[in-house]
Amino acid sequence: MEENRKKILSLIQPTNTPHLGNYLGAMQNWVKMQEEFDCAYGIADLHSITVRQDPVKLRAQIKESYALLIAAGLDPERSILFVQGHNPNHAELAWILSCYTQFGELSRMTQFKDKSSKHPDNINAGLFTYPVLMAADILLYQADMVPVGIDQKQHLELARNIAQRFNGVYGDVFTMPEPYITQSTAKVMSLQEPTKKMSKSDENPNASVWILDDRDTIIRKFKRAVTDSETEVCAREGKDGIVNLMSIYAAVTDKSFDEIESEFKGKGYGDFKLAVGEAVADKLAPLQSEFQRISNDKAYLEDCMKKGAEKAFRVSRRTLAKVHKKVGFVVF
């Protein structure tokens, strides 16, 4: 990692295939960030087990998620691309930081309350201390910035509080991370409820387009997208479904709303939905092809994982060694 470039870290959970919103809103931005920043991207497998997982399925999803990041354009030679569980420094720093985190701080985390209500039969300690592990993820790599959505802002604020508290006791140990607000290409909403964001947890199979959906499935989902009782393709209040489709079409074709309105002037919603579906399928086709190539090359995928783990361990161990010394552990 270059010393003069700012450092960015971002992790994704491997519990679902990313949907179109994840790709347009996050993954494409991560690829661009490699030009400007020193980037570390991880698969957050440790975070995923706060909810019970099928071990066979989870292993497959970790590999799929890792391969997808490379297929999307993340370069394992330029960035640190790793699986969180392959680097024991995360868990070790999380334990140390938990001793510098107040119980009251964790009890105020809204995601803990939300997930507890969704999984009342499994309110485990990991679910409660999850934000401390997230803080360890960030602080281990001395990240200057962390791309965050609105649902993770509270966790980043806690990471800042922990860093400030630790630095206050031991001096300048951790970089204070700042939120990196990405200029999202598109705010992608549900195809069935266009006032809500496209979500991995949506139970309606027609609401989300997954980035590994085949061409026919993608087009079928867009044909079924909820619109309105009018026929004009234009952006105005009350046309949430059409505005969502226009946003997606703009993101994958680089056309402006004015250009889209002109293109479909006098045409019906059927023509427009088909065009959006085909454009999205065309956009995702190269990624899907590259994903298949990488997934089939198991030796390459395993080699990237091993090298990524080594790089992640080496960079993060410097931070952890400093922490060990500061808190008073015996360091050889």
Side-chain angles (χ1 to χ4, degrees):
M1 300 180 87
E2 295 178 27
E3 292 299 323
N4 58 335
R5 298 215 300 181
K6 287 191 177 295
K7 298 177 178 64
I8 273 191
L9 173 122
S10 196
L11 274 68
I12 58 165
Q13 287 204 33
T15 47
N16 277 101
T17 301
H19 57 60
L20 184 64
N22 300 139
Y23 177 63
L24 296 177
M27 293 169 75
Q28 281 195 328
N29 279 312
W30 292 356
V31 175
K32 294 173 188 172
M33 286 174 194
Q34 295 178 123
E35 304 297 329
E36 188 178 350
F37 305 106
D38 274 338
C39 302
Y41 297 116
I43 307 299
D45 55 339
L46 299 182
H47 285 293
S48 69
I49 63 168
T50 57
V51 177
R52 292 286 177 268
Q53 304 289 338
D54 175 337
V56 175
K57 188 179 177 185
L58 180 60
R59 264 190 292 275
Q61 287 173 324
I62 290 168
K63 292 175 183 176
E64 177 186 281
S65 298
Y66 193 91
L68 273 171
L69 291 184
I70 299 174
L74 295 185
D75 185 349
E77 297 296 324
R78 298 171 64 191
S79 299
I80 299 176
L81 194 56
F82 67 100
V83 176
Q84 182 190 29
H86 292 169
N87 183 2
N89 295 337
H90 287 258
E92 191 171 343
L93 183 61
W95 165 249
I96 295 171
L97 295 184
S98 69
C99 299
Y100 293 83
T101 307
Q102 300 305 301
F103 187 89
E105 288 177 309
L106 293 178
S107 65
R108 290 192 290 272
M109 295 289 110
T110 54
Q111 276 208 331
F112 171 71
K113 296 171 186 175
D114 293 343
K115 288 196 175 182
S116 295
S117 64
K118 288 178 184 175
H119 303 278
D121 58 335
N122 185 26
I123 305 174
N124 56 73
L127 192 61
F128 188 68
T129 59
Y130 172 107
V132 183
L133 178 56
M134 186 177 285
D137 298 335
I138 297 165
L139 301 178
L140 260 180
Y141 298 89
Q142 302 290 358
D144 296 288
M145 290 175 291
V146 182
V148 289
I150 193 164
D151 58 334
Q152 299 291 355
K153 272 189 171 181
Q154 194 182 31
H155 288 165
L156 180 60
E157 195 55 44
L158 178 67
R160 286 173 56 84
N161 290 344
I162 294 170
Q164 196 167 31
R165 184 176 298 131
F166 197 93
N167 288 351
V169 176
Y170 299 109
D172 189 16
V173 178
F174 296 121
T175 299
M176 288 293 286
E178 300 285 345
Y180 182 83
I181 308 302
T182 57
Q183 299 300 311
S184 178
T185 311
K187 185 179 182 183
V188 179
M189 313 303 281
S190 163
L191 297 185
Q192 295 298 308
E193 294 182 81
T195 56
K196 296 180 180 178
K197 284 180 70 175
M198 191 173 282
S199 171
K200 287 184 176 184
S201 58
D202 200 314
E203 294 180 4
N204 187 331
N206 293 311
S208 302
V209 172
W210 308 102
I211 65 174
L212 292 180
D213 279 345
D214 62 50
R215 186 178 190 85
D216 290 344
T217 301
I218 292 169
I219 291 172
R220 184 175 69 250
K221 287 181 178 181
F222 277 104
K223 282 182 176 178
R224 294 175 178 174
V226 169
T227 51
D228 53 62
S229 58
E230 299 178 7
T231 58
E232 187 182 3
V233 176
C234 65
R236 64 168 180 257
E237 197 171 340
K239 294 176 73 70
D240 298 312
I242 288 296
V243 170
N244 183 37
L245 295 180
M246 289 178 72
S247 296
I248 294 169
Y249 193 59
V252 299
T253 63
D254 291 324
K255 293 179 180 177
S256 68
F257 272 27
D258 287 342
E259 288 172 324
I260 295 169
E261 288 178 10
S262 296
E263 183 181 350
F264 293 95
K265 191 174 183 65
K267 296 181 182 179
Y269 286 174
D271 289 338
F272 180 49
K273 289 181 181 182
L274 176 60
V276 178
E278 289 179 336
V280 169
D282 289 343
K283 178 76 172 178
L284 295 178
L287 178 149
Q288 293 175 351
S289 176
E290 183 67 359
F291 169 75
Q292 288 301 328
R293 186 190 69 77
I294 294 166
S295 297
N296 292 335
D297 192 345
K298 291 180 172 54
Y300 170 73
L301 192 60
E302 189 173 304
D303 185 59
C304 287
M305 281 186 171
K306 285 181 178 177
K307 287 178 179 175
E310 289 166 3
K311 278 165 58 173
F313 183 87
R314 189 168 61 249
V315 168
S316 60
R317 197 67 190 177
R318 291 199 290 267
T319 297
L320 192 58
K322 194 173 184 180
V323 169
H324 281 177
K325 189 174 181 181
K326 290 290 186 181
V327 299
F329 295 163
V330 175
V331 179
F332 294 104

